[in-house]
Amino acid sequence: MQTELSRRLGIEHAIFGFTPFPAVAAAISRAGGLGVLGAVRYSAPDELARDLDWMQEHVDGRPYGLDVVMPATKVEGVSEADVEAMIPEGHRQFVRDVLAKHGVPEPAEGEASGWRITGWMEQVARSQLDVAFDYPIKLLANALGSPPADVIRRAHDQDVLVAALAGSARHARKHAGAGIDIVVAQGYEAGGHTGEIASMVLTPEAVDAVAPLPVLAAGGIGSGRQIAAALALGAQGVWLGSLWLTTTEADLHSPALTRKLLAAGSGDTVRSRALTGKPARQLRTEWTEAWDDPRGPGALPMPLQGLLVADAVSRIQKYEVQELLGTPVGQIVGRMTSERAVQDVFDDLTRGFERAVDRVNRIAERGRHA
């Protein structure tokens, strides 16, 4: 499953695996793909350094990458406290009302607040890069468009390839103009922030828009035959994220959430602004329904929504409140029906790819002899 891009990066299979879990990222790299660690959860540089140290010891010398979330335009002098102050009290009360309606326990006295999404902030993302460039990462991906020009230059100075996610051919062309090396064409089916164009349409459009720049297909891909289809559409590899959530190496900290993922079908997700303020595909829950209800206050724009709901989401996860419990995940969740090791997932992907290629080759051979 090799392409020009995979050979350039020194990986056996053109599979790029995005994950927030270091153990999963390392396992993806060991299996012959490129594990890409999501950095948005790291608010402190030393936490990221700790996990990159761990990855260095567990990738067996294989390459890996990092995914950050930073805007292309810089906003000076804005702190987290400044942003917090912009959140209307009515929205805070709405959060309290939803939690109370479903009996979500209050945090214990003196208990630290839950995980907060601060990795989107300019200064936090840059501190992550200061750490990351001390490690031999091979790829830097940005989930909010092209990184700032100085970041692209800094990556290239260290021989690090830069990737950016795109939801349309227009976005892809903009990334190419900014000087990035790889476009990740992320279709509507994908988990997390995603646009409105399906991957079957988006992939060839992006390939044509930025040729000869390599494109990775993302969104709704979870089998070898889908990888074969992506390569047939012109992609030089695939970007997979949701598929790793139910691997044995993943650490969701919630058996109830794992059970919900394993039981969910492809129709059990929704694009909602409930989590971050931008449309993000996630499990459909009573939490997403409450935020999408026109009778409610509606989600705030990013980054206000993420800061508003961070503690509430942490409490929902801690107490495993079934009706509200969810996570970003793509429509491929319908294929995630059992917990498997990353290596087992890779084995299925490569075997399925071989079968798909053989099937197409047989069809072509019969056509030549017809």
Side-chain angles (χ1 to χ4, degrees):
M1 203 185 300
Q2 286 225 330
T3 64
E4 181 181 346
L5 180 60
S6 66
R7 286 189 288 270
R8 182 178 179 184
L9 285 164
I11 58 178
E12 184 180 356
H13 304 297
I15 297 174
F16 295 69
F18 164 79
T19 175
F21 308 117
V24 176
I28 291 168
S29 290
R30 290 197 307 270
L34 189 85
V36 182
L37 179 65
V40 72
R41 291 173 178 263
Y42 296 95
S43 57
D46 59 333
E47 295 174 355
L48 177 59
R50 176 201 64 208
D51 282 355
L52 289 176
D53 282 338
W54 186 91
M55 285 189 62
Q56 272 291 105
E57 297 174 0
H58 291 84
V59 294
D60 294 347
R62 305 291 184 90
Y64 60 92
L66 189 76
D67 179 277
V68 296
V69 178
M70 65 187 309
T73 55
K74 185 175 182 177
V75 180
E76 298 280 2
V78 179
S79 69
E80 184 177 340
D82 294 332
V83 177
E84 284 266 17
M86 301 177 190
I87 298 174
E89 177 57 31
H91 281 73
R92 295 185 187 278
Q93 185 60 50
F94 182 75
V95 170
R96 292 191 287 267
D97 291 345
V98 173
L99 296 179
K101 176 182 176 181
H102 292 273
V104 181
E106 294 284 344
E109 186 175 351
E111 182 179 2
S113 62
W115 164 65
R116 302 178 70 72
I117 304 174
T118 58
W120 51 264
M121 298 184 70
E122 171 81 13
Q123 62 269 33
V124 175
R126 287 187 177 273
S127 70
Q128 293 168 347
L129 294 177
D130 289 338
V131 170
F133 285 132
D134 286 336
Y135 293 82
I137 62 172
K138 296 299 182 183
L139 177 72
L140 174 67
N142 190 44
L144 278 184
S146 305
D150 67 297
V151 171
I152 297 175
R153 287 193 300 270
R154 186 178 178 187
H156 288 167
D157 287 344
Q158 299 195 209
D159 293 324
V160 175
L161 297 183
V162 179
L165 275 64
S168 70
R170 179 176 61 84
H171 293 156
R173 282 190 290 269
K174 186 175 180 180
H175 297 336
I180 61 96
D181 306 289
I182 303 166
V183 169
V184 181
Q186 180 167 275
Y188 171 86
E189 309 95 326
H193 296 134
T194 186
E196 299 180 347
I197 304 174
S199 57
M200 181 64 75
V201 174
L202 176 62
T203 301
E205 285 187 345
V207 168
D208 292 345
V210 302
L213 209 65
V215 170
L216 300 178
I221 301 172
S223 68
R225 55 186 165 175
Q226 290 171 311
I227 296 175
L231 299 190
L233 293 172
Q236 287 202 31
V238 293
W239 178 274
L240 310 182
S242 298
L243 195 62
W244 317 110
L245 288 174
T246 53
T247 56
T248 54
E249 292 90 345
D251 189 9
L252 287 176
H253 299 294
S254 172
L257 180 54
T258 298
R259 289 193 295 271
K260 285 192 78 169
L261 288 169
L262 296 175
S266 57
D268 292 327
T269 68
V270 63
R271 284 174 76 246
S272 171
R273 299 178 185 269
L275 186 61
T276 69
K278 284 184 175 290
R281 187 170 296 284
Q282 55 204 281
L283 282 179
R284 180 185 285 105
T285 66
E286 294 194 26
W287 177 257
T288 63
E289 295 292 295
W291 282 105
D292 295 338
D293 190 332
R295 294 170 295 180
L300 295 168
M302 189 182 198
L304 300 181
Q305 183 72 11
L307 289 173
L308 169 65
V309 305
D311 291 342
V313 170
S314 293
R315 286 166 58 189
I316 291 166
Q317 292 176 344
K318 176 181 178 179
Y319 296 109
E320 297 190 314
V321 182
Q322 188 72 16
E323 301 88 351
L324 304 178
L325 189 61
T327 187
V329 68
Q331 291 179 331
I332 199 63
V333 69
R335 294 188 63 89
M336 297 155 52
T337 57
S338 65
E339 291 186 76
R340 299 182 294 164
V342 166
Q343 184 62 63
D344 292 336
V345 173
F346 254 81
D347 291 343
D348 279 351
L349 292 175
T350 54
R351 283 194 296 262
F353 176 81
E354 291 171 357
R355 288 194 298 269
V357 171
D358 287 344
R359 184 183 308 115
V360 172
N361 285 339
R362 287 196 302 272
I363 293 171
E365 186 67 22
R366 286 196 296 269
R368 283 194 292 269
H369 292 90

